Amino acid sequence: MEDLDAAPAGAHPVIVSACLAGVPCRYDATARPDPEVVAAVAEGRAVPLCAEVLGSLGVPRPPAEVVGPDGEGATGADGADVLDGRARVVTADGQDLTRAFLDGARAVAEHAERVGARSAVLRAGSPSCGAGGIYDGTFSGRLVPGDGVLAALLRRQGLSVRSR
Ligand code: SF4
């Protein structure tokens, strides 16, 4: 993993999804540990953060996806549209979690700036962390091109963002 391998301890740490580091913070209270991410965190080269937990969403929590402004799926909207107020993040039964997703993404972005991070390695497919692909808002498991809310915000902040 280029970003993680290249980062010496203490210099420009890489922001990583906490669930990739082994923290059971996913909506279903599971983790998705990635050995390279776990090692990078253990060696002080990466900082694990979970935007949804920092946005005050609990564990476990209902899954959520990005939808259009009126709650419709399959619009092609992504996290950048959420940042710009053109899309929302909702649960399958319509609960609007947009504010929590924005708060959590901003908390991670502020910490990234504080520690001088220049890159992030995030969990694929997540409405927060997905980079380059997210679920389409129909809760049918269909992936479409686009970023999650956090991935979009970190890109705007100038970080190199990849998912795995
Ligand atoms: S918000 Fe990111 S770090 Fe948190 S559980 Fe979802 S994918 Fe993992």
Side-chain angles (χ1 to χ4, degrees):
M1 187 187 301
E2 189 176 302
D3 289 333
L4 291 174
D5 290 345
H12 306 298
V14 180
I15 301 300
V16 295
S17 294
C19 58
L20 291 177
V23 179
C25 54
R26 297 181 74 239
Y27 72 94
D28 58 359
T30 64
R32 287 288 185 274
D34 177 306
E36 288 182 66
V37 173
V38 172
V41 171
E43 293 162 10
R45 295 182 285 116
V47 177
L49 296 167
C50 176
E52 293 173 26
V53 168
L54 287 170
S56 300
L57 296 170
V59 179
R61 56 187 174 275
E65 296 189 5
V66 174
V67 298
D70 299 320
E72 70 279 28
T75 63
D78 78 345
D81 297 304
V82 176
L83 293 176
D84 292 336
R86 293 191 300 268
R88 301 189 289 135
V89 185
V90 300
T91 64
D93 62 5
Q95 185 185 358
D96 191 331
L97 302 181
T98 306
R99 173 51 50 196
F101 272 69
L102 287 169
D103 287 349
R106 288 173 184 142
V108 173
E110 284 168 15
H111 194 68
E113 185 170 13
R114 198 176 300 128
V115 300
R118 294 177 176 172
S119 61
V121 175
L122 304 177
R123 167 76 184 165
S126 156
S128 290
C129 291
I134 57 170
Y135 293 105
D136 75 348
T138 63
F139 293 87
S140 58
R142 206 162 27 237
L143 280 168
V144 291
D147 287 334
V149 179
L150 172 62
L153 184 57
L154 293 181
R155 282 195 209 280
R156 286 188 181 180
Q157 200 163 296
L159 276 74
S160 160
V161 180
R162 293 186 300 113
S163 67
R164 55 190 287 147

